[in-house]
Amino acid sequence: GASREHSKFYSNDAVEAGARATNGDYAKRHGFSRGHLAPAQFHKDDQRAMDATFDLSLNVVPQEMTVNACDWFRLEQFCKKLVKKDKFDKLWVVTGPVFMPKDIPAQGGEPAKRVVQYEVIGEREVAVPTHMFKAILAERADKSKAFAAFVLPNGPIPYERPLTTYQVTRAQLNKLTGLKLFPLLPDTERAAPDICK
């Protein structure tokens, strides 16, 4: 089996140098950790697959430390539970960053605006997502499916909340990300009931 002890965060040489995230970009104390999109713990069968989860350009984003250690981690554990305890045979998980717009109120004669603002860190100005998403499609042995999607803010979460607090519909997530997630899945709720129920 694979072990995290043998894996290290690394820069991807296939990405152009100016756009390539490095460990140095995360070195200063700015409150962000190197957050995995696909978690290393889900790749314990193969060391190369686990190592790939430490790619700073393809699988890592700046993630606020309390989110990474608390509610995001709980969401990852929820995915694991779906297979181990809830007996789903197959699980597809899509994870990624969200750059969510926010409202700027009218000021000094300027009209109200809806803008996307995000922080950057390090010399290469690695973009800090405003939010993170996880979309989960689960399938049982009888081919019945269930679905859930979550969007978590990438900022301090002062206390633990039920994961359903962050739940969104597939249509909402598609709009936020510009993606069409699980396009072969019919849009009706009956086609894939809510995993959380």
Side-chain angles (χ1 to χ4, degrees), residues 125-137:
E125 298 188 336
V126 180
V128 178
T130 62
H131 294 72
M132 303 285 298
F133 81 86
K134 203 172 279 292
I136 306 160
L137 180 62

Side-chain angles (χ1 to χ4, degrees), residues 105-112:
Q107 289 180 337
E110 287 285 317

Side-chain angles (χ1 to χ4, degrees), residues 15 21 26 32 42 50 55 59 88 107 144 148 158 164 175 185:
V15 176
Y26 289 86
F32 295 101
F42 289 178
M50 181 175 277
D55 184 322
N59 194 55
F88 283 103
Q107 289 180 337
S144 65
T164 51
K175 183 177 179 185
L185 191 67

